[in-house]
Amino acid sequence: MGAPSVPADSLVPRPAEISTGAYDGLVLTPSTRIDADHAARGAELWLRTELGAATGLPLPRGDGQTAQIRLSVDRGAGLGSEGYRLIVDGEGALVVGHDPAGVFYGAQTLRQLLPPAAYRRAPLEPDGRWTLPSVRITDRPRFGWRGCMLDVGRHFMPKHDVLRFVDLLALHKLNVLHLHLTEDQGWRLEIKRYPRLTEVGAWRTESQVGAGSPAAFDGRPHGGFYTQDDIREIVAYAAARHITVVPEIDVPGHSQAAIAAYPELGEGEPVGVARHWGIIDNVLNVTDTTLEFYRNVFDEVLDLFPSTYICVGGDECPKEQWRRSQTAQRRIREEGLADEEELQSWFVRHFDGYLAERGRRLLGWDEILEGGLAPGATVMSWRGTEGGVAAARAGHDVVMCPTDTSYLDYRQSGDDGEPVPVGTVLTTEDVYAAEPVPAELSEQEARRVLGAQVNVWTEHMDTPRAVDYMVFPRLAAFAEAVWSPGRREYGGFLPRLEEHLRRLDALGVEYRPLSGPLPWQSRPGVAGRPR
Ligand code: ACM
């Protein structure tokens, strides 16, 4: 912890502009004070809490005269949305943000300028020396949507770990946590009007282990859900870190847990909450009562989540049950639809209208293009980039997350020792190199790309430790791809990443070491399905 501090070129994601200053830097002491204007108070509180814990320093509020660290918002400084300037000079440290988010990102960068021990919850040495090096940084994100989808349906992530995950996203300057709250294998959100969604739908008797054939099961119940107060807490905690929580209630496929709770939502025989992975034939029916049920569910979702974007899923909905269903076929005839694809569009469009009337916007996986895109839809392009290209050309906003560059459930190397290896190989370098904007888009079409996200599907991540392994350090590479401007060269990133891993060590993140899994991170004997 002695001076000088960590070199400024260890920052992740790399700032747009950085130069080293000519001063000695700012030594944090028991008399160091923070001053913040009203709009910057959130970042001030965050900085005091985090640095206070790590350093043991009180960092009390000062004023313009007495403070060594000053935080402010200045929309006239030309920094751009979420942008900031951070200067450490002979006067102290100054963070100016274009908006409160910009100040927060400046404060995040300020913390990265300190040694990795700044990421601990208590000081290692009572009298450690903490020096902010003299720098001048001007920074702003390349994209407005820098997201991560977390599937809490396949494996529930306890609230405590979700809050920790939010902190890890914020450390990487990401601003969207897309929570995939409902699945065939579990419904994770308390809905007051329909208590059986969690009484029945939030747990299963056992889980498939791995992706082998024939399927193996663990014989152990799994479950959990978030109360509405848990969600309010998560949403507020994320908002204080400038992260929007985008909820996903997946319809009309991936709904077996809901059907298990309320069989009248389904097309077939009563079913239990699914125990196995994969695409499941049981889907929602298209009756008026099912639409009403989900409008009632979304009414509660909208009360809980202030996000403009509300995700209705729309992915992987097999049409076999609808082909055999009298109510589905009647609906097709009555609405003058061509086929079951158009029936799915009709279903999605219903919720597009519902959301638009309430000032929200529908987000869905790229299957919602099939059978015609709902007028207000924003598309998540996951089955390659084609869906994103088509949607952008049709004048819709898109979020890019193609499997081969964005699916963090995919294996991190070609080695047999990777735990439950599925999908194609997606290394940290691959994630780093991936360009979010499809090359074939014109400049104007490319403006429809809001940004990108990585997706963390958790069939094979049965604990937060396993999530750590799959998400890190690939998330750090992704963060730079969506934040930093200019060319990306992995050779330049790697030394910074190695420094950054010391921060993750201090935080207790069980990332995949660059050399491969530690023995206890492997899963010998559990079959994957590599492609
Ligand atoms: C998806 O991976 N089913 C969106």
Side-chain angles (χ1 to χ4, degrees):
M1 268 187 295
S5 173
V6 174
D9 62 6
S10 75
L11 300 175
V12 174
R14 176 173 49 75
E17 290 170 37
I18 178 164
S19 57
T20 307
Y23 300 87
D24 289 342
L26 174 67
V27 181
L28 306 185
T29 72
S31 55
T32 301
R33 291 173 178 269
I34 308 179
D35 176 39
D37 66 19
H38 186 73
R41 291 273 157 89
E44 177 199 10
L45 177 62
W46 176 84
L47 199 57
R48 177 175 301 116
T49 305
E50 299 295 339
L51 289 190
T55 63
L57 299 172
L59 302 168
R61 161 83 49 83
D63 59 31
Q65 306 301 316
T66 60
Q68 292 74 37
I69 299 176
R70 284 162 295 143
L71 312 176
S72 65
V73 170
D74 182 358
R75 286 189 193 271
L79 294 163
S81 183
E82 302 180 89
Y84 68 92
R85 179 168 298 127
L86 166 58
I87 299 170
V88 181
D89 61 15
E91 310 261 294
L94 174 68
V95 177
V96 178
H98 175 81
D99 41 31
V103 184
F104 179 72
Y105 294 129
Q108 284 281 1
T109 299
L110 185 152
R111 190 184 189 187
Q112 286 201 11
L113 289 171
L114 292 167
Y119 289 87
R120 293 187 183 270
R121 297 268 180 99
L124 303 187
E125 307 164 36
D127 302 315
R129 193 176 156 86
W130 300 90
T131 307
L132 284 169
S134 177
V135 286
R136 185 184 176 88
I137 293 170
T138 307
D139 199 12
R140 60 174 293 190
R142 185 173 165 211
F143 293 103
W145 187 294
R146 306 179 300 280
C148 179
M149 187 225 68
L150 183 63
D151 166 17
V152 294
R154 267 53 172 267
H155 280 101
F156 178 66
M157 183 183 275
K159 184 203 73 176
H160 164 84
D161 298 286
V162 174
L163 298 176
R164 171 182 177 273
F165 198 74
V166 165
D167 274 322
L168 292 170
L169 298 183
L171 160 64
H172 293 89
K173 299 189 171 82
L174 301 187
N175 65 351
V176 175
L177 171 60
H178 166 178
L179 268 189
H180 183 79
L181 287 163
T182 68
E183 255 307 333
D184 296 308
Q185 296 85 5
W187 181 287
R188 306 292 174 213
L189 173 65
E190 179 190 24
I191 298 294
K192 302 272 192 203
R193 188 171 179 135
Y194 301 119
R196 285 174 61 82
L197 285 171
T198 44
E199 285 166 10
V200 173
W203 71 282
R204 55 183 181 261
T205 54
E206 61 178 350
S207 307
Q208 185 178 351
V209 181
S213 180
F217 293 88
D218 64 2
R220 180 182 184 186
H222 176 85
F225 67 94
Y226 308 108
T227 66
Q228 295 205 344
D229 279 348
D230 291 339
I231 289 293
R232 289 189 186 95
E233 181 186 359
I234 291 168
V235 166
Y237 191 86
R241 287 149 185 79
H242 299 278
I243 291 173
T244 302
V245 183
V246 175
E248 178 175 358
I249 303 293
D250 203 347
V251 294
H254 288 291
S255 298
Q256 186 163 320
I259 297 167
Y262 292 95
E264 61 271 29
L265 298 173
E267 282 286 7
E269 300 290 307
V271 289
V273 177
R275 301 169 303 125
H276 58 285
W277 317 128
I279 301 174
I280 291 180
D281 279 340
N282 296 311
V283 300
L284 297 179
N285 63 38
V286 294
T287 61
D288 288 338
T289 51
T290 292
L291 293 176
E292 186 189 353
F293 182 100
Y294 274 88
R295 284 196 305 273
N296 291 335
V297 167
F298 278 111
D299 282 348
E300 294 192 29
V301 168
L302 298 194
D303 271 350
L304 292 168
F305 294 92
S307 169
T308 301
Y309 293 91
I310 302 290
C311 185
V312 303
D315 57 320
E316 297 178 326
C317 176
K319 304 296 185 301
E320 199 41 47
Q321 287 190 332
W322 287 353
R323 275 192 269 279
R324 290 188 272 108
S325 152
Q326 286 184 4
T327 44
Q329 293 305 317
R330 188 171 343 113
R331 187 70 86 177
I332 287 175
R333 281 195 306 278
E334 284 173 4
E335 299 291 335
L337 305 171
D339 55 17
E340 291 74 20
E341 305 299 337
E342 288 199 3
L343 182 59
Q344 159 141 344
S345 280
W346 173 87
F347 191 102
V348 169
R349 206 167 283 162
H350 179 83
F351 289 99
D352 185 50
Y354 164 91
L355 290 169
E357 280 167 19
R358 287 156 184 79
R360 309 294 184 103
R361 298 187 63 177
L362 180 141
L363 180 69
W365 301 106
D366 60 35
E367 285 93 334
I368 65 172
L369 281 152
E370 292 159 7
L373 202 49
T378 296
V379 173
M380 288 178 293
S381 186
W382 74 279
R383 297 174 301 175
T385 56
E386 295 81 358
V389 169
R393 290 195 168 145
H396 288 257
D397 289 340
V398 302
V399 175
M400 298 305 298
C401 52
T403 52
D404 61 349
T405 59
S406 319
Y407 268 43
L408 299 190
D409 53 328
Y410 284 17
R411 59 209 167 109
Q412 304 198 59
S413 80
D415 294 347
D416 293 341
E418 292 296 343
V420 204
V422 299
T424 50
V425 172
L426 177 57
T427 65
T428 300
E429 182 168 2
D430 296 331
V431 173
Y432 188 75
E435 168 50 38
V437 179
E440 58 268 54
L441 291 184
S442 71
E443 218 178 296
Q444 192 174 350
E445 291 161 352
R447 287 198 205 110
R448 290 294 186 176
V449 179
L450 302 178
Q453 64 180 41
V454 283
N455 295 331
V456 183
W457 299 106
T458 59
E459 287 94 330
H460 311 300
M461 296 172 222
D462 54 0
T463 63
R465 297 183 78 179
V467 172
D468 270 12
Y469 178 86
M470 296 305 283
V471 171
F472 300 99
R474 290 186 290 186
L475 191 88
F478 171 72
E480 192 146 312
V482 283
W483 178 279
S484 307
R487 268 172 60 83
R488 289 189 300 282
E489 275 181 70
Y490 193 66
F493 175 64
L494 199 50
R496 276 185 298 113
L497 178 61
E498 281 168 358
E499 294 289 332
H500 187 65
L501 294 181
R502 304 287 80 79
R503 298 183 186 114
L504 299 184
D505 285 331
L507 285 163
V509 176
E510 296 189 79
Y511 56 84
R512 177 190 184 277
L514 297 173
S515 54
L518 297 163
W520 59 89
Q521 292 174 319
S522 65
R523 294 290 301 273
V526 178
R529 196 166 350 110
R531 279 195 275 123

